[in-house]
Amino acid sequence: QVQLVESGGGSVQAGGSLRLSCAASGDTYNSNCMGWFRQASGKEREGVAAIFTSSGSTYYADSVKGRFTISRDNAKRNTVYLQMNSLKPEDTAMYYCAASFGRLCTTLGRKSEYNTWGQGTQVTVSS
């Protein structure tokens, strides 16, 4: 059984930075895409950033373009990072790592593309 484990969340002041990590454990094979989603209190879960693990092509939500960067670890299979800079209070949410194993990905920002989810890590940005 594959598990995704996130780390790196925390509390930071506006303008600060955090780096989230996500690694798959268990009986894994190469994922086709991996991404980060977030869910703020009372809101729908939304796509933040995602990457095709083979090509490295990426997707970013408009709200984070220029501030967040998703990257893959070429030395560690099924490991991705999310570098978050210039954080704003509206970035406060639970952040979830997601991956697609065993099937192709077409639209990176869409929740239905992913069949494996982490437990989430909280990011809180204060003004």
Side-chain angles (χ1 to χ4, degrees):
Q1 185 175 355
V2 178
Q3 288 186 317
L4 298 178
V5 179
E6 304 107 330
S7 61
S11 297
V12 66
Q13 288 192 325
S17 298
L18 285 172
R19 187 187 192 220
L20 305 183
S21 299
C22 172
S25 64
D27 186 14
T28 67
Y29 42 95
N30 285 338
S31 61
N32 293 303
C33 58
M34 296 185 74
W36 291 94
F37 289 73
R38 68 185 180 188
Q39 188 166 15
S41 180
K43 294 189 176 182
E44 295 281 327
R45 190 173 298 189
E46 63 175 359
V48 175
I51 187 167
F52 285 110
T53 52
S54 57
S55 70
S57 296
T58 57
Y59 155 86
Y60 294 97
D62 289 342
S63 58
V64 306
K65 282 181 181 176
R67 300 189 298 122
F68 290 11
T69 303
I70 188 169
S71 60
R72 56 186 175 173
D73 191 322
N74 292 325
K76 299 178 182 178
R77 191 173 66 177
N78 299 324
T79 299
V80 293
Y81 307 98
L82 185 67
Q83 178 67 43
M84 304 186 294
N85 298 328
S86 302
L87 282 161
K88 303 176 181 180
E90 51 263 43
D91 294 318
T92 295
M94 185 72 79
Y95 283 70
Y96 297 90
C97 179
S100 177
F101 291 99
R103 64 185 193 189
L104 295 176
C105 303
T106 55
T107 306
L108 289 177
R110 191 163 59 192
K111 287 181 291 186
S112 60
E113 296 288 337
Y114 302 88
N115 56 13
T116 305
W117 293 83
Q119 293 298 309
T121 184
Q122 179 67 36
V123 171
T124 302
V125 185
S126 59
S127 58

